[in-house]
Amino acid sequence: MHSSKRGLIKDMSKKKIIIRMSAFLALMIIIDQICNFALVQPGLSRIMFHELKQGQYNCIILGASHGSYGLDPEIVGTELKKNTMNMCMGGEYMIDAYYTLEYALDYNKIDEVVFDIDYQYLVNYNDVNILHNNVYNAYPASVHKVGYYVKRVLGEDYRGTMLRWTNYWQCYKYMGRTIRKKLSSEYKTYNPSVVNMNRYDSYMGEGFTFRNQHHKKDSASCLDWNESKVSEQEIGYIKKLVSLCKKKGIKIVFTTVSQDPATVAEKESGFTAADAYISKLAQELDVTYLNFNKIRFDEYDRDSDDFYDREGHMYGESAEKFSQLYGKYVNMALMGDETYKSAFYANIGDMVKAYKGN
Amino acid sequence: MSYISAGFLFTIALGALVYYLFPKKHRWLVLLLISLLYYTSYGFSNLVYVLFTCITSYIISLKMSEMEDKVHRKRLLSVVLVLNFGLLFLLKYCNFMIGNLNSLSEVFGRNLNIAKLTIKFPLGISFYTFQTMSYCIDVYRKKTEPERNIFKLLLFVCYLPQMLQGPIGRYERLGLALSEGSDFDYRNIERGAVRIFYGLAKKLILADRAFIFANNIFYTPDKYSGVYIIAGILMYSIYVYCDFAGGMDLVIGASEVFGITMDENFRQPYFSKNLGDFWRRWHITLGQWMKDYIFYPFSLSKACQKLSRRAKKRFGRVYGTLIPICLSNILIFFIVGVWHGASWKYIIYGLYNGLIIAMANILKPTFEKTVKLLRIKSNSAPYRVFQIVRTFILVNIGWFFDACSSASGAFKAMGQTFKNFSLKVVTDGSLLKVGLGVREIKILFVGVLVLFVIGVLREKGIDIREWIMKKPLPLKWAIYIILFFIVAPFGFVSASTEFVYAQF
């Protein structure tokens, strides 16, 4: 009798401890969610994923910020004769692109994928904190998110995974405005007006951001190519992406959007090595690679004034001009028409020579 | 998965849940499983080396325990030591030796040009090799019984929290505690979680921030001189302490969650009164290892005893006793230097520490006489502060070898300290252009102050964690929540969040 009573007390106290621990955890999660709601700023990526979910696209462009500023999907789509969605986002690594495609396939009947590769993303995977990753932060809840989560973030700083608001904590001054925005109908209907954008930028829909020519030129330049820093994991995801496309019968082409020719000339050896590396990879994977840094100047006349920084992000007007050519040659490549090659220089060196000759 | 990754924290949380759901006698299996899973997340090749160490130690320790003859046991011990330290040497120091041989051959006009090995260095090998060899030596000395279950020994070799950066545990404490398992106690989880977040605070708020400044200075020391170098080395001392001690807090805290108490590795090292004291407070388990397995066997060896007798005859009793001790110290710190890395800068770093400690031993009688002569009270607060500052300066001189990329770079940086020395850079804002702005410096300053106060309290035997744990529930929770939510935003955001000692 005595020992059973003691056992009962022990059980009670165990239960009490478990309830207390669960209550504490729940409290932490609630506070975390409140912080997320009040501090995390609404971004374009959330809207882009929503647009993608509408399921009206049969071509998707994947890539990073060069693509989001450089490719108007409406113009590219006209050339491709496909409803095209530009899912290029600043900070989109190969793994992010792969999971974006997985998500896109759930809602769309995709038959063409254009994968824009900026070599910088192959060499700096380990230099960037997950807190700044737009794709991960906006990736909607889905079955794929579990796989994405395990592969992408379990190894990263716990703050990026568990405490997303960390990156925005200095927005506490705008907490009231953020909460009001998130409670507004515009936010609920994915209206881009809720996004705090650079005042020279306009979101044109379907993933394209138009930067006004009045924006003062930034000084940011390209990272140097360094083959020893190429992330094996990133290359693995390019291969996975290609094999997923092949498995689903989707045509795929690799591209690199044109960058400031002055930067290409300045870092000629790096661009040449990166071009050789990606070309070799594309060849191994049996995918056509169009490096638009090599497009002839008589096809696409460009200079530093077409880009708002040395790294190679385009102004909107240049982007619209470029998108038409981009769509045209990507379409030829996808159709197996090899005459597109005549519009490109044989190598980066020839392009630089032509640029300097101008 | 680094210790600050979500993966590590999830592994600990989920691991603890499963651990306590299992019956006590099988709990070690859960720990083994999660340890292996965690270690293989760094690549399967790492596991091969761990298995090699475990299997050789298992077989040889069992064999040794069956033998009564000391000579035979010694032979077997030599085999396991040669195999494991040989492997460590091959992986860690072979390329260093090859590089030196190639350079030497060039000096003598013959270019050997021996190709370097391209083997991936297994994570934590220095730590688990030292830990496992201590087990073998203890079995040889009949200090501990050999483990008859190879999987339990494997757990001791690769126990998740400690395998990447220590502390270097002893089988008689850690090994047995792991095998026995622990009872569920809510306070262990609470204690462990608080310690984990204290470690995260040290790492993210202080270490990662101080690193930016120190790295900018010592990456290009030619660019800086005078006060910049002094500020850089002070930042480095914050960085290296908070990184390593923060990592230890994480490790020990994670282990506490499982109810397993690990050996402490730090005890307020920057409050040390002399360099010897510093090494008894810094990386304690490595120091203890060196003392038990190198210092005593060496200083009590026949050769050393003979030397001592001769020295006593020649220099008198005091110095005769001191000479073998000094030699043992120099040897130990030479090994400590080598342990830190395959580079001349680490060897010089080790010898610097060994020589200073040896000199301090030799000059101890002179110091004591001087203190008496000057009528200084050796237990007075000002004298203690003087001792602490003096030791801190000596420690910081040593950090030059750690902070710079090479030994010559360290000497150059030391030389630069005396060039263009102007205090103006402190007031004109020049120091704010080295990578950390006003806000960052303020956070760093407040953080160091908090760390200092906690250190002082600890020196007085007050444990803040225990003090908080005794508070009423609502107050306690409020403190925990504030601490948890403060670390994240005030922590420095950078991509490089690896712990410096994880590379050993």
Side-chain angles (χ1 to χ4, degrees):
Chain A
M1 179 73 185
H2 201 71
S3 68
S4 71
K5 197 176 172 185
R6 209 182 299 149
L8 195 70
I9 292 168
K10 211 177 159 186
D11 278 353
M12 289 275 285
S13 82
K14 251 190 187 173
K15 260 187 194 168
K16 212 170 130 187
I17 286 167
I18 290 166
I19 291 168
R20 264 191 201 175
M21 283 171 74
S22 312
F24 183 74
L25 271 178
L27 186 63
M28 299 277 271
I29 292 167
I30 291 167
I31 295 173
D32 184 40
Q33 289 307 311
I34 291 171
C35 289
N36 276 343
F37 190 76
L39 294 168
V40 175
Q41 299 299 300
L44 273 182
S45 310
R46 176 179 164 270
I47 293 164
M48 288 162 69
F49 272 109
H50 174 72
E51 288 177 293
L52 187 64
K53 201 180 172 182
Q54 302 318 301
Q56 54 192 0
Y57 303 106
N58 35 32
C59 175
I60 181 172
I61 308 171
L62 299 163
S65 56
H66 288 167
S68 69
Y69 282 97
L71 299 171
D72 182 338
E74 207 181 315
I75 300 173
V76 176
T78 309
E79 291 295 325
L80 295 176
K81 298 175 191 69
K82 297 275 176 194
N83 282 335
T84 304
M85 174 72 199
N86 180 352
M87 283 303 284
C88 295
M89 286 175 243
E92 184 175 313
Y93 284 86
M94 312 305 142
I95 177 172
D96 305 312
Y98 174 80
Y99 280 100
T100 302
L101 178 62
E102 286 252 31
Y103 184 78
L105 289 172
D106 282 353
Y107 298 97
N108 301 274
K109 174 78 192 74
I110 306 274
D111 14 74
E112 284 173 6
V113 168
V114 184
F115 190 15
D116 189 66
I117 302 173
D118 172 357
Y119 78 70
Q120 298 180 92
Y121 281 79
L122 296 177
V123 297
N124 77 343
Y125 183 76
N126 297 315
D127 301 338
V128 181
N129 191 284
I130 186 74
L131 276 167
H132 306 300
N133 191 284
N134 291 324
V135 186
Y136 168 70
N137 285 332
Y139 202 91
S142 70
V143 181
H144 306 297
K145 187 149 190 177
V146 181
Y148 187 30
Y149 189 84
V150 171
K151 300 269 168 53
R152 179 74 163 102
V153 279
L154 274 186
E156 302 262 359
D157 186 338
Y158 79 101
R159 291 169 295 176
T161 328
M162 297 154 80
L163 307 163
R164 278 182 47 221
W165 53 270
T166 306
N167 200 32
Y168 300 90
W169 79 275
Q170 289 189 64
C171 297
Y172 67 88
K173 298 165 210 160
Y174 321 112
M175 229 155 54
R177 200 176 71 186
T178 310
I179 293 171
R180 273 197 300 281
K181 259 186 193 178
K182 287 192 177 175
L183 292 173
S184 70
S185 57
E186 282 87 355
Y187 182 81
K188 286 169 194 160
T189 54
Y190 298 88
N191 191 318
S193 65
V194 292
V195 179
N196 292 330
M197 291 179 74
N198 184 307
R199 68 190 172 107
Y200 297 103
D201 285 357
S202 313
Y203 182 64
M204 311 303 283
E206 297 178 325
F208 176 49
T209 305
F210 185 101
R211 178 156 284 190
N212 192 307
Q213 204 91 18
H214 295 298
H215 180 272
K216 207 178 131 200
K217 216 167 164 71
D218 284 344
S219 56
S221 189
C222 268
L223 294 174
D224 292 324
W225 169 257
N226 180 349
E227 196 170 324
S228 67
K229 285 183 86 181
V230 172
S231 158
E232 277 177 37
Q233 183 197 287
E234 287 294 276
I235 299 301
Y237 274 97
I238 296 179
K239 291 176 180 169
K240 267 186 96 169
L241 197 139
V242 171
S243 97
L244 178 66
C245 288
K246 287 185 176 163
K247 199 174 129 194
K248 302 261 179 193
I250 300 168
K251 287 180 185 169
I252 179 167
V253 64
F254 292 168
T255 66
T256 294
V257 166
S258 284
Q259 289 158 270
D260 183 346
T263 308
V264 180
E266 186 196 323
K267 293 175 183 273
E268 185 186 336
S269 60
F271 273 88
T272 303
D275 178 55
Y277 185 90
I278 301 169
S279 299
K280 194 175 159 226
L281 180 69
Q283 206 176 0
E284 274 170 27
L285 297 170
D286 196 21
V287 175
T288 307
Y289 173 47
L290 281 78
N291 186 347
F292 283 90
N293 281 315
K294 294 192 291 189
I295 194 162
R296 302 184 74 88
F297 283 96
D298 48 6
E299 284 286 332
Y300 173 48
D301 191 16
R302 59 204 181 274
D303 62 26
S304 294
D305 292 341
D306 291 308
F307 303 86
Y308 73 74
D309 58 17
R310 296 295 309 272
E311 196 196 322
H313 293 93
M314 281 183 202
Y315 282 118
E317 280 168 26
S318 324
E320 286 180 339
K321 198 171 103 191
F322 173 70
S323 296
Q324 195 264 328
L325 280 164
Y326 182 90
K328 180 180 155 190
Y329 292 117
V330 165
N331 191 39
M332 285 168 83
L334 283 167
M335 293 300 132
D337 176 356
E338 296 214 338
T339 54
Y340 75 85
K341 285 181 181 167
S342 61
F344 289 80
Y345 293 108
N347 53 51
I348 294 284
D350 286 353
M351 171 262 161
V352 172
K353 249 186 236 162
Y355 172 67
K356 285 181 177 167
N358 282 343
Chain B
M1 280 194 281
S2 142
Y3 287 150
I4 66 151
S5 68
F8 178 75
L9 298 179
F10 278 129
T11 308
I12 296 300
L14 282 175
L17 187 72
V18 180
Y19 180 78
Y20 289 116
L21 285 175
F22 262 63
K24 191 177 169 187
K25 67 173 181 178
H26 296 310
R27 283 180 183 164
W28 66 272
L29 273 170
V30 178
L31 287 181
L32 178 62
L33 195 70
I34 58 169
S35 299
L36 291 176
L37 280 175
Y38 184 78
Y39 201 52
T40 46
S41 75
Y42 283 100
F44 273 97
S45 60
N46 288 309
L47 202 59
V48 177
Y49 299 106
V50 169
L51 288 175
F52 174 81
T53 300
C54 176
I55 293 167
T56 52
S57 306
Y58 176 76
I59 295 169
I60 290 179
S61 60
L62 274 184
K63 281 269 172 222
M64 279 194 294
S65 73
E66 288 163 7
M67 288 174 177
E68 279 308 313
D69 182 18
K70 206 176 171 186
V71 178
H72 282 107
R73 286 213 313 273
K74 204 171 200 169
R75 269 188 208 149
L76 281 175
L77 178 68
S78 310
V79 170
V80 77
L81 294 180
V82 166
L83 281 175
N84 284 279
F85 285 124
L87 180 69
L88 178 65
F89 177 83
L90 183 77
L91 294 169
K92 198 167 174 175
Y93 306 104
C94 202
N95 281 340
F96 171 64
M97 301 291 279
I98 291 172
N100 280 307
L101 271 176
N102 285 341
S103 307
L104 210 64
S105 68
E106 271 174 38
V107 172
F108 290 103
R110 283 189 63 191
N111 200 346
L112 285 174
N113 214 3
I114 308 166
K116 288 191 175 179
L117 299 176
T118 49
I119 307 170
K120 202 178 162 195
F121 186 64
L123 285 161
I125 189 169
S126 302
F127 289 100
Y128 70 71
T129 302
F130 272 55
Q131 175 161 304
T132 318
M133 290 310 101
S134 79
Y135 159 75
C136 293
I137 298 169
D138 285 351
V139 171
Y140 159 77
R141 289 176 177 173
K142 291 190 176 288
K143 210 176 143 192
T144 190
E145 281 294 308
E147 177 55 68
R148 292 186 189 278
N149 184 335
I150 191 169
F151 296 107
K152 285 189 177 177
L153 185 64
L154 182 59
L155 174 59
F156 172 68
V157 180
C158 72
Y159 177 43
L160 158 73
Q162 51 103 64
M163 72 179 315
L164 297 188
Q165 52 179 338
I168 302 166
R170 295 297 172 86
Y171 187 79
E172 68 215 44
R173 291 188 293 274
L174 181 64
L176 296 180
L178 289 170
S179 300
E180 280 170 16
S182 62
D183 291 316
F184 175 79
D185 185 347
Y186 163 69
R187 281 166 303 180
N188 283 337
I189 294 174
E190 188 178 353
R191 209 173 275 132
V194 174
R195 184 93 188 242
I196 287 174
F197 282 97
Y198 182 52
L200 284 173
K202 271 188 196 164
K203 166 74 178 153
L204 299 173
I205 299 177
L206 296 171
D208 286 354
R209 205 164 251 119
F211 173 76
I212 298 293
F213 191 99
N215 190 46
N216 282 344
I217 297 278
F218 294 110
Y219 189 67
T220 48
D222 292 350
K223 257 176 75 182
Y224 298 100
S225 58
V227 174
Y228 283 104
I229 300 277
I230 292 175
I233 207 70
L234 287 175
M235 287 291 189
Y236 192 81
S237 69
I238 296 171
Y239 158 67
V240 76
Y241 169 67
C242 292
D243 188 276
F244 193 16
M248 282 304 108
D249 288 322
L250 271 157
V251 165
I252 295 170
S255 190
E256 277 181 320
V257 169
F258 295 105
I260 309 286
T261 308
M262 297 179 88
D263 293 338
E264 288 294 338
N265 227 6
F266 287 91
R267 196 166 42 83
Q268 294 79 253
Y270 290 145
F271 288 150
S272 307
K273 288 190 284 186
N274 53 57
L275 210 52
D277 187 24
F278 174 80
W279 281 101
R280 284 187 291 277
R281 291 162 172 262
W282 177 281
H283 208 167
I284 298 168
T285 54
L286 179 67
Q288 200 62 44
W289 196 100
M290 292 290 168
K291 201 168 128 189
D292 290 348
Y293 302 110
I294 309 267
F295 182 87
Y296 286 132
F298 179 77
S299 57
L300 297 174
S301 65
K302 278 178 193 163
C304 251
Q305 293 300 313
K306 207 173 157 187
L307 180 74
S308 175
R309 277 196 297 274
R310 276 191 186 177
K312 272 178 192 167
K313 269 185 201 166
R314 188 148 187 190
F315 305 109
R317 204 177 62 81
V318 177
Y319 290 108
T321 317
L322 278 175
I323 284 171
I325 295 174
C326 291
L327 281 176
S328 305
N329 271 321
I330 293 170
L331 174 71
I332 276 193
F333 281 98
F334 170 74
I335 297 171
V336 166
V338 173
W339 180 90
H340 273 83
S343 162
W344 282 107
K345 66 172 190 164
Y346 291 120
I347 293 172
I348 296 173
Y349 171 68
L351 287 173
Y352 162 80
N353 279 282
L355 282 170
I356 296 229
I357 291 171
M359 287 293 287
N361 281 331
I362 292 168
L363 295 173
K364 199 178 171 192
T366 318
F367 283 145
E368 282 171 354
K369 268 184 202 166
T370 316
V371 167
K372 254 188 193 172
L373 204 72
L374 296 172
R375 292 181 185 168
I376 296 167
K377 281 184 188 165
S378 58
N379 54 355
S380 66
Y383 186 64
R384 185 159 156 65
V385 171
F386 160 74
Q387 285 176 309
I388 291 173
V389 172
R390 180 191 61 188
T391 310
F392 186 67
I393 292 169
L394 288 173
V395 169
N396 274 273
I397 294 171
W399 288 148
F400 274 95
F401 296 102
D402 208 23
C404 296
S405 56
S406 64
S408 59
F411 287 120
K412 206 171 181 182
M414 282 182 207
Q416 292 280 97
T417 314
F418 303 100
K419 283 183 189 163
N420 308 321
F421 197 93
S422 162
L423 286 171
K424 218 176 122 190
V425 296
V426 181
T427 49
D428 68 4
S430 304
L431 282 178
L432 297 172
K433 291 171 191 157
V434 190
L436 295 180
V438 181
R439 179 181 165 268
E440 305 300 336
I441 297 280
K442 276 182 189 169
I443 295 173
L444 201 58
F445 181 75
V446 174
V448 170
L449 204 65
V450 171
L451 204 64
F452 177 76
V453 172
I454 293 173
V456 170
L457 290 171
R458 277 204 178 157
E459 282 288 279
K460 290 183 175 177
I462 301 166
D463 188 341
I464 295 234
R465 188 169 54 153
E466 295 297 326
W467 179 78
I468 297 172
M469 280 174 69
K470 283 176 192 153
K471 295 285 145 207
L473 194 77
L475 179 63
K476 197 164 70 171
W477 279 21
I479 295 172
Y480 291 162
I481 288 168
I482 290 168
L483 287 178
F484 179 78
F485 284 99
I486 269 182
V487 174
F490 285 103
F492 197 75
V493 176
S494 67
S496 170
T497 47
E498 283 300 326
F499 287 87
V500 66
Y501 269 75
Q503 64 185 295
F504 297 110

